Amino acid sequence: MVRMAAAEDLSALVRLRSARYGDTPAGAAGWLQNVAGLAHIFVLEKTQGQPEAMLAAVPVEYAHRKGIWFCGAAAAEGVDSRSFLPRLLSGCLRAFGAKEYDFAVLAPENAQEARDLEALGFKNLLPMRVLQKPIRRNLLAQAEFDSLTVRHLLEMRLRCQPGCIRLPESAMNEVMTQLYRRGLTVVSNRRGYGLYFVKGEELQFIELQADNDSCADTLLQAAREKTGAERARILLAENQSLYLGAGRRCGYGMIAFLRGEFPVTDVYFRMLL
């Protein structure tokens, strides 16, 4: 039986998520309650009311359009997610379409999952680029670190990417809290920002937004002066104007249109977690 999650399911869902994604119990509970929300989690129940699998269907917005972000799929040992998830997703797509949602998005974990999703109507229209870039030294590069509030980050994100698919501010607060716990650093100035982790001698930017290439270079150079790292690995949307055309295309987001297609050339889909 498939039903919506309830408060008494939390401990079981924490175990499922921790086992699947390696989260701490506190991190899993934070994601379930504050990013997804228990009211947006479907659970598969087989025996004695215990959840055997779960899938979140989180409301998001793109411009004036309503959407659903499918995420956080996890199943107990012995549950075949490849047979369970397509059936659940198929039913969800029909139900949310009937409720006048415009689209659904998700990020497949591998090529096989992407092929399975194509059979349900998802299209690979929201890919990313991976850019490996040396960082030129600039002792005069100015930026601040870890001083950007979540509200200001969302405002800057919307300015740089007007077509971003958005979570509520409360959910992004939890996302940023969990990223900080994992070692995230934020570099910012009035012309842009970057979110990065230090991995050995390389800076791994999971998001970089700036007014132009020169502004982005300044952020990279300031991060180099702080960390000493001389290289960066940067994730960019395929249609993002920064370093346009550079980098290697990689699969990321897929979208299903629930009430007719619309242009997605400016859509930015990056949920960070």
Side-chain angles (χ1 to χ4, degrees):
M1 180 182 73
V2 175
R3 59 173 175 79
M4 301 309 298
E8 54 267 26
D9 297 319
L10 181 60
S11 59
L13 298 180
V14 165
R15 288 193 295 272
L16 286 177
R17 181 166 177 86
S18 296
R20 175 67 181 81
Y21 296 98
D23 290 0
T24 64
W31 188 91
L32 291 162
Q33 295 175 294
N34 302 323
V35 177
L38 291 178
H40 304 133
I41 297 175
F42 292 97
V43 298
L44 173 66
E45 175 184 287
K46 283 193 172 181
T47 58
Q48 299 178 345
Q50 286 296 309
E52 299 285 334
M54 68 176 183
L55 175 70
V58 184
V60 291
E61 293 183 356
Y62 159 60
H64 62 284
R65 301 180 188 276
K66 295 194 306 179
I68 289 293
W69 170 38
F70 291 114
C71 55
E77 187 175 353
V79 176
D80 183 3
S81 60
R82 281 200 63 187
S83 63
F84 155 66
L85 284 176
R87 292 200 303 272
L88 177 56
L89 282 170
S90 179
C92 285
L93 293 174
R94 290 193 300 272
F96 284 113
K99 292 180 180 179
E100 300 189 341
Y101 281 81
D102 298 296
F103 66 94
V105 288
L106 46 67
E109 295 190 2
N110 51 56
Q112 179 60 59
E113 186 173 314
R115 288 191 291 271
D116 292 343
L117 292 167
E118 286 177 354
L120 297 176
F122 283 91
K123 299 183 178 182
N124 184 18
L125 298 177
L126 308 173
M128 304 289 288
R129 287 181 288 136
V130 180
L131 175 63
Q132 301 281 351
K133 181 177 175 61
I135 308 174
R136 181 173 60 85
R137 188 160 199 186
N138 178 3
L139 296 176
L140 301 179
Q142 297 293 314
E144 297 180 335
F145 294 88
D146 296 327
S147 62
L148 192 62
T149 65
V150 171
R151 176 163 295 181
H152 192 196
L153 183 148
L154 291 176
E155 291 171 353
M156 292 186 70
R157 196 183 208 206
L158 189 58
R159 176 173 67 80
C160 294
Q161 291 282 1
C164 63
I165 293 173
R166 301 189 301 278
L167 281 170
E169 182 179 344
S170 57
M172 283 299 292
N173 270 310
E174 179 67 27
V175 169
M176 293 304 295
T177 296
Q178 295 206 14
L179 289 174
Y180 272 121
R181 287 173 181 162
R182 298 176 189 181
L184 180 80
T185 298
V186 179
V187 57
S188 65
N189 58 29
R190 63 185 181 86
R191 305 296 298 275
Y193 69 89
L195 314 178
Y196 70 87
F197 294 91
V198 180
K199 299 293 184 183
E201 298 181 353
E202 183 177 76
L203 303 181
Q204 297 193 351
F205 278 81
I206 61 172
E207 184 161 281
L208 180 65
Q209 303 284 356
D211 290 347
N212 51 49
D213 288 4
S214 178
C215 297
D217 286 340
T218 298
L219 294 170
L220 296 177
Q221 291 158 1
R224 170 178 169 159
E225 295 308 312
K226 179 180 175 66
T227 63
E230 300 179 0
R231 299 189 308 276
R233 179 182 184 272
I234 309 168
L235 280 176
L236 298 167
E238 187 176 50
N239 59 6
Q240 197 169 343
S241 59
L242 292 183
Y243 313 116
L244 194 60
R248 173 178 55 83
R249 190 180 194 267
C250 63
Y252 180 69
M254 301 183 74
I255 184 167
F257 300 101
L258 305 183
R259 298 201 304 153
E261 294 195 18
F262 52 85
V264 295
T265 53
D266 69 333
V267 173
Y268 178 70
F269 174 48
R270 180 85 175 113
M271 292 304 185
L272 304 178
L273 283 179

